[in-house]
Amino acid sequence: MNHKPFHLLVICTGNQCRSPMAEGFLNHKLRERNINHIWVSSAGTLTGEGIPPASDAVLAMEEEQVDISGLWNDTDSRMVSREMISDALARPWLSEF
C-alpha cells in the first residue's frame, strides 16, 4: 500500500527536552513498525539556536533505547518558523502560551 507522506511537527518552549524526546520516541516507534511515510520533527517557540538536548532528556530516552543526542545532525535546538509550521501537516504543542 502506498501512503501519502505525513509530517508531524512537535513544538514546545525550549526544544531541549519535551519536543526532542517526543520526536525521537515517535520516529523510533514508527521505524520499528516499518512506517516510513510519517516523519516527526521538533522545534521550540522561545529557544536559542544551537543548544543541545538536555542531558536528562538524553538519559531518559536512552532508558527507552532511543538516541536523541544527535537529532538535528549537530544536536542544535531549533526555533520554530512559519515555514516549518506550513510544511507540517500536524502540530501538537507541548507548552502553554
Side-chain angles (χ1 to χ4, degrees), residues 21-33:
M21 291 173 72
E23 175 184 355
F25 186 78
L26 291 169
N27 277 322
H28 176 78
K29 291 300 182 183
L30 289 165
R31 300 302 90 75
E32 194 175 75
R33 289 165 176 74

Side-chain angles (χ1 to χ4, degrees), residues 21-91:
M21 291 173 72
E23 175 184 355
F25 186 78
L26 291 169
N27 277 322
H28 176 78
K29 291 300 182 183
L30 289 165
R31 300 302 90 75
E32 194 175 75
R33 289 165 176 74
N34 203 27
I35 300 171
N36 297 309
H37 67 282
I38 300 172
W39 76 98
V40 182
S41 64
S42 65
T45 58
L46 296 173
T47 188
E49 298 284 330
I51 301 169
S55 58
D56 289 345
V58 172
L59 291 173
M61 295 312 297
E62 283 176 357
E63 290 177 10
E64 300 298 322
Q65 288 78 50
V66 177
D67 180 14
I68 65 167
S69 63
L71 276 181
W72 310 295
N73 298 326
D74 53 357
T75 68
D76 289 353
S77 56
R78 298 176 292 184
M79 179 73 78
V80 68
S81 68
R82 289 180 191 267
E83 182 178 88
M84 288 173 147
I85 292 172
S86 294
D87 288 345
L89 298 173
R91 300 167 283 286

